[in-house]
Amino acid sequence: MSARSKRSQISANGAAATSPEVLPVCWSAASNDQQLELENSKKKTPRFTRTEHLGKDYVEACSVLRINTHPHIMLAIDPDYKMVDPENIEEGFPSLKRRPENEEKKEEEAKAEEGEEAEKEEGKKDEGKKDEGEEEEKLVPEVREIRITGMALDKGTVLALKMAVPDSTLRTLRLWNCGITSSVFEELVQLLNVSQIENLTLEENPLEDGALFAKLVEGKSPLLTLSLQSNGIRDEDAAKLLSSLKSNGKLLALNMSKNDLGSGSVQAFSAAMKGNTTLTALDLSRNRIGDDDAVALLTELSPPEAGGKKGKKGAKAFVHLNLSFNAVGEKGRVPTSSAQ
């Protein structure tokens, strides 16, 4: 087999491809998108049976969708998986032979190689089946956390996860700087709704329409903790998300630090907390919150008064409220006992 044909069967992460004709040399979200679009154009329903073995199910789902497995997900489900350094991309490929000066010698070498290949092929048939079984066995059946950091997340990968995660052990999904588009985000919301994922980190992933983030806490969202740090969320975007907290009875902690939140968000949050009885931790650090905003927020979050006096309707003691690195001065400061 030539180096060129061998290369077409191996992705940049070093994993053997199940469909050589559709897999590129290097993994890319763009190539996965193109392949997914091609498969969708065929209008065929993918046949997939979940086995509740997350590692096998994810790889099988990618095979059914005819896309490449995502390198960072493979790191979580395959203990022997290694990403190939781009500078050593030729590692693992046979070295190229120089053209023999003697043509006769070249023909003899070709015949000898042909004979050797035929013999090896016979012995590899049974070994191939054995290796395939061993490859599947090393995949981790129970994965609790997947991290994708600084690498694109494509729609096909989210679809494959959505096929694999129901009834799985996956509880935490951390996505940092993944270049998530609106269409990928919509698939991500669907993925959450069929999963048991409790903790979602979605940071450095600004959306064109920031109001879409509200979908993460709507309906039967399984999330207990949500981090939306550094997503360029503005007051008008946050209003819808915070409004959804009124009917959310599950979320315990929300991180909205390093965004663009000011008075509008504080007002929306104060209104939301009148109907929310579960949220106990909120991080609004590094935004545009001033003294008046801080006082209004702390007043809303103050626990019922001691001595049997009636407190605010829906008010509860917060475990953690972070307003650091905002425009809060002396006026916005309150005793620690009032800001639990």
Side-chain angles (χ1 to χ4, degrees):
M1 183 180 290
S2 68
R4 184 181 179 83
S5 60
K6 178 89 172 179
R7 184 178 303 183
S8 69
Q9 296 186 50
I10 301 180
S11 61
N13 54 39
T18 55
S19 304
E21 69 276 13
V22 302
L23 296 176
V25 176
C26 295
W27 185 92
S28 77
S31 94
N32 269 6
D33 287 339
Q34 290 171 4
Q35 186 58 37
L36 188 65
E37 189 176 342
L38 177 62
E39 290 302 305
N40 287 340
S41 67
K42 296 177 183 178
K43 297 181 179 179
K44 292 182 180 179
T45 304
R47 293 183 180 181
F48 175 78
T49 303
R50 196 166 52 253
T51 65
E52 296 185 16
H53 184 301
L54 184 57
K56 291 179 184 177
D57 287 344
Y58 170 69
V59 171
E60 177 61 22
C62 288
S63 178
V64 167
L65 296 172
R66 296 179 69 77
I67 61 171
N68 278 317
T69 54
H70 195 289
H72 286 192
I73 296 178
M74 292 305 295
L75 286 172
I77 67 175
D78 184 350
D80 295 332
Y81 185 85
K82 292 180 181 178
M83 292 178 66
V84 177
D85 185 336
E87 293 181 2
N88 299 315
I89 197 66
E90 295 296 333
E91 185 179 346
F93 295 109
S95 57
L96 296 174
K97 294 181 179 179
R98 292 185 178 181
R99 183 182 181 86
E101 295 178 6
N102 190 312
E103 290 297 326
E104 188 177 338
K105 185 179 178 182
K106 179 183 175 181
E107 287 177 11
E108 287 176 0
E109 287 180 351
K111 286 178 183 178
E113 285 180 6
E114 249 178 61
E116 288 175 6
E117 286 294 326
E119 287 177 9
K120 287 178 182 177
E121 243 358 273
E122 289 297 322
K124 281 183 179 178
K125 285 182 181 178
D126 291 332
E127 287 180 10
K129 292 179 182 177
K130 182 181 176 182
D131 291 343
E132 189 177 340
E134 290 176 352
E135 185 72 22
E136 287 185 355
E137 284 305 314
K138 74 179 182 180
L139 296 178
V140 179
E142 297 184 353
V143 177
R144 296 196 65 84
E145 179 175 330
I146 288 177
R147 298 184 181 192
I148 300 178
T149 59
M151 196 170 195
L153 179 63
D154 61 284
K155 188 175 180 179
T157 293
V158 180
L159 281 171
L161 275 177
K162 187 170 72 173
M163 293 164 71
V165 300
D167 303 316
S168 74
T169 56
L170 186 63
R171 295 293 180 270
T172 300
L173 184 59
R174 303 189 188 280
L175 307 174
W176 181 82
N177 190 22
C178 300
I180 292 176
T181 62
S182 296
S183 62
V184 172
F185 180 83
E186 294 287 355
E187 289 296 336
L188 179 62
V189 172
Q190 292 183 37
L191 162 63
L192 291 174
N193 290 338
V194 299
S195 75
Q196 297 182 59
I197 295 173
E198 298 175 337
N199 311 296
L200 175 65
T201 297
L202 193 62
E203 299 178 355
E204 297 279 357
N205 285 295
L207 297 175
E208 237 178 87
D209 181 5
L212 287 175
F213 286 114
K215 293 188 177 185
L216 296 172
V217 295
E218 290 176 348
K220 296 181 180 179
S221 171
L223 298 179
L224 297 180
T225 69
L226 173 62
S227 179
L228 295 175
Q229 178 178 299
S230 303
N231 284 322
I233 300 174
R234 298 166 297 181
D235 285 340
E236 53 268 36
D237 302 326
K240 190 174 181 182
L241 184 151
L242 295 171
S243 177
S244 298
L245 288 178
K246 292 179 183 178
S247 56
N248 182 293
K250 201 161 187 178
L251 194 69
L252 301 176
L254 175 63
N255 177 11
M256 296 186 72
S257 66
K258 296 185 180 180
N259 281 290
D260 190 20
L261 308 180
S263 296
S265 297
V266 170
Q267 292 169 14
F269 182 76
S270 296
M273 289 312 295
K274 291 177 181 178
N276 184 288
T277 58
T278 55
L279 193 71
T280 57
L282 176 67
D283 189 341
L284 291 175
S285 62
R286 298 179 185 274
N287 280 287
R288 296 183 292 101
I289 296 171
D291 282 338
D292 292 339
D293 301 325
V295 170
L297 186 57
L298 289 166
T299 300
E300 185 61 48
L301 297 178
S302 295
E305 295 177 21
K309 293 182 180 180
K310 189 176 180 181
K312 287 181 173 292
K313 184 180 178 182
K316 62 183 296 180
F318 250 51
V319 174
H320 178 80
L321 175 63
N322 188 355
L323 292 176
S324 61
F325 295 98
N326 276 284
V328 179
E330 289 296 328
K331 183 181 176 182
R333 294 182 183 178
V334 293
T336 306
S337 59
S338 299
Q340 295 184 25

